[in-house]
Amino acid sequence: MSDNQSWNSSGSEDDLETESGHAVEFGGVLSKWTNYIHGWQDRWVVLKNNTLSYYKSQDEREYGCRGSLCLSKAIITPHEFDECRLDISVNDSVWYLRAQDPEHRHQWIDSIELHRVRRTPGLRNRRRLPDGLHYITV
């Protein structure tokens, strides 16, 4: 896992939309379990519009995502023993993800849950984002 794990930032809005109404995305590096040959690989992960997408790296975003999950029906499960890991499942698809440390895992889980609440009609209450969460303005 890289030592420079952080949320990218270009603003400090307190909501999931900018004043102009544009969607905001969150992004950062998480390790994703690929297979038994390659194991855990660092990936650039983006949360936007109730979708979690991953890219090989931040620089390769222009080539398109390698996979995405709609979070509406996702089940987010913190791992029982690994304090840095979270599993996200939708139907028969499961992503095994690992943060740099337990604090970053907690930030990701809070951000995903908050993003889902904010994107679900009828639940659009104004809430502050977890400490340490920043924005990438689209």
Side-chain angles (χ1 to χ4, degrees):
M1 175 75 77
S2 75
D3 290 335
N4 62 353
Q5 166 68 37
S6 65
W7 296 94
N8 277 2
S9 172
S10 63
S12 61
E13 299 288 330
D14 287 332
D15 295 309
L16 291 177
E17 294 181 353
T18 62
E19 289 180 14
S20 62
H22 290 101
V24 174
E25 67 182 45
F26 310 107
V29 175
L30 288 173
S31 290
K32 182 178 181 296
W33 178 257
T34 55
N35 56 46
Y36 285 104
I37 294 172
H38 293 73
W40 294 98
Q41 298 291 316
D42 284 352
R43 297 293 182 238
W44 182 256
V45 180
V46 173
L47 173 60
K48 179 182 177 187
N49 294 332
N50 206 33
T51 301
L52 194 66
S53 304
Y54 79 92
Y55 304 81
K56 187 171 182 178
S57 69
Q58 185 177 10
D59 295 336
E60 294 194 11
R61 288 188 61 191
E62 65 187 76
Y63 302 118
C65 73
R66 296 204 163 206
S68 62
L69 291 174
C70 178
L71 297 172
S72 297
K73 297 182 180 180
I75 298 169
I76 297 110
T77 309
H79 194 269
E80 185 177 359
F81 304 111
D82 186 343
E83 294 180 341
C84 296
R85 189 170 135 189
L86 63 143
D87 301 342
I88 302 176
S89 58
V90 178
N91 298 327
D92 61 348
S93 179
V94 181
W95 286 7
Y96 305 103
L97 302 171
R98 202 159 188 286
Q100 172 183 329
D101 53 44
E103 181 181 331
H104 279 100
R105 178 185 81 165
H106 182 72
Q107 288 177 341
W108 273 101
I109 292 171
D110 284 353
S111 301
I112 291 168
E113 292 295 346
L114 179 61
H115 200 274
R116 287 190 337 168
V117 166
R118 298 276 298 155
R119 293 293 172 205
T120 303
L123 296 177
R124 296 183 58 104
N125 57 345
R126 297 280 186 202
R127 291 179 54 193
R128 290 189 56 83
L129 298 174
D131 290 339
L133 182 64
H134 304 282
Y135 298 93
I136 302 172
T137 305
V138 183

